[in-house]
Amino acid sequence: MRKEKLSALIADNCPLVCETYKNIASKITKKTSNFSFNIDITYNCNGAYDIIKRTIEKETKLDFVVLDLKLKPSSNRKILSGEDLGFLIRKLLPNTKIIVVTDCNDNYRIHNVIKSLNPESFLTKSDLTSDEFKNAIKNVANNIPYYSKTVLKLLRKEVSSNFIIDTIDRQILYELSIGSKMKDMPNYIPLSAASIEKRKRHLKKVFNVKDKGDRELILVAKEKGYI
């Protein structure tokens, strides 16, 4: 039987991890599956964006993306993480399926990604084995959602707030983390200085940060995997 050819992108900071994912996916096709893969690899947001742009320009397809949330930001500061990249994929390639893989196990962060990105598969690296990754790929390829056990466990827990940390919020957190001054942020973020300050105050409230400075906010945001 002729196998269906699927196009995939693996985006992770670590080259070894990317090669491991690719090898596992390749092994699937050698056994009982009815599909095979054409796989691209990238280690940062710039590379991923180039592949997405190429896919659109050539009017080809990208069946699914394996996406690490902690990707190196793009050089223009517009794509700051794997989550931002996921938003871009949802907008430009709505038929592309997303497999999120993360080392984050923060309850609020997991809920936020589910609400904002709604990936077809969501795996934590603490759960990740060769078999777990195979199961995710097989399920997603057959239009079946797949979440790892830690993600499912965290989803059963309620979160204290329904507030979603969006792209603008993450841009603010990123600029704070690299030492940008508030007066300069409107150059990178499409909001006025007053609106950015208002968002920052709300982020402190969401993260239960009492300190008037930004240091504690940055530390909490890093701990939760937002920067």
Side-chain angles (χ1 to χ4, degrees), residues 50-101:
D50 288 343
I51 292 169
I52 292 168
K53 185 179 178 182
R54 184 185 71 199
T55 300
I56 295 170
E57 289 175 348
K58 293 187 176 181
E59 297 183 347
T60 55
K61 65 174 182 173
L62 183 58
D63 291 290
F64 71 86
V65 176
V66 179
L67 192 60
D68 183 12
L69 294 179
K70 292 183 179 179
L71 285 178
K72 183 179 178 181
S74 62
S75 54
N76 62 7
R77 297 187 183 182
K78 291 184 178 180
I79 310 172
L80 299 177
S81 66
E83 191 171 355
D84 286 340
L85 194 61
F87 287 140
L88 191 66
I89 291 167
R90 287 292 188 230
K91 179 181 178 181
L92 301 178
L93 299 169
N95 294 322
T96 298
K97 298 169 185 175
I98 297 175
I99 297 176
V100 170
V101 185

Side-chain angles (χ1 to χ4, degrees), residues 16-207:
L16 179 60
V17 169
C18 288
E19 288 296 335
T20 300
Y21 291 163
K22 184 175 181 178
N23 289 338
I24 294 172
S26 298
K27 287 179 182 178
I28 295 174
T29 67
K30 294 178 181 178
K31 295 185 178 181
T32 59
S33 75
N34 56 355
F35 49 82
S36 61
F37 294 105
N38 178 29
I39 299 175
D40 281 313
I41 287 176
T42 186
Y43 314 125
N44 52 55
C45 289
N46 278 338
Y49 178 74
D50 288 343
I51 292 169
I52 292 168
K53 185 179 178 182
R54 184 185 71 199
T55 300
I56 295 170
E57 289 175 348
K58 293 187 176 181
E59 297 183 347
T60 55
K61 65 174 182 173
L62 183 58
D63 291 290
F64 71 86
V65 176
V66 179
L67 192 60
D68 183 12
L69 294 179
K70 292 183 179 179
L71 285 178
K72 183 179 178 181
S74 62
S75 54
N76 62 7
R77 297 187 183 182
K78 291 184 178 180
I79 310 172
L80 299 177
S81 66
E83 191 171 355
D84 286 340
L85 194 61
F87 287 140
L88 191 66
I89 291 167
R90 287 292 188 230
K91 179 181 178 181
L92 301 178
L93 299 169
N95 294 322
T96 298
K97 298 169 185 175
I98 297 175
I99 297 176
V100 170
V101 185
T102 181
D103 57 7
C104 175
N105 59 3
D106 177 78
N107 188 25
Y108 189 89
R109 181 76 169 112
I110 297 295
H111 275 80
N112 197 88
V113 173
I114 295 292
K115 289 178 182 178
S116 62
L117 194 55
N118 192 26
E120 281 74 16
S121 179
F122 201 156
L123 313 171
T124 60
K125 290 186 178 180
S126 60
D127 294 333
L128 203 56
T129 63
S130 177
D131 286 341
E132 184 79 357
F133 192 68
K134 288 178 186 177
N135 288 336
I137 291 178
K138 288 178 181 178
N139 276 270
V140 170
N142 287 293
N143 299 311
I144 302 171
Y146 189 88
Y147 290 178
S148 70
K149 62 182 181 181
T150 297
V151 174
L152 291 173
K153 182 179 179 181
L154 290 171
L155 287 177
R156 293 188 187 104
K157 296 182 180 180
E158 293 186 6
V159 290
S160 58
S161 173
N162 289 321
F163 181 74
I164 295 178
I165 307 297
D166 62 16
T167 301
I168 297 294
D169 294 317
R170 288 195 305 280
Q171 285 181 313
I172 292 170
L173 292 170
Y174 173 75
E175 292 298 334
L176 289 172
S177 74
I178 63 173
S180 297
K181 297 180 179 179
M182 288 297 296
K183 65 182 180 66
D184 296 326
M185 285 195 190
N187 295 327
Y188 311 109
I189 299 170
L191 291 176
S192 66
S195 295
I196 293 171
E197 186 64 47
K198 183 178 179 181
R199 285 231 182 189
K200 188 177 76 169
R201 288 197 300 270
H202 193 72
L203 284 167
K204 286 185 176 183
K205 183 178 179 181
V206 169
F207 291 146

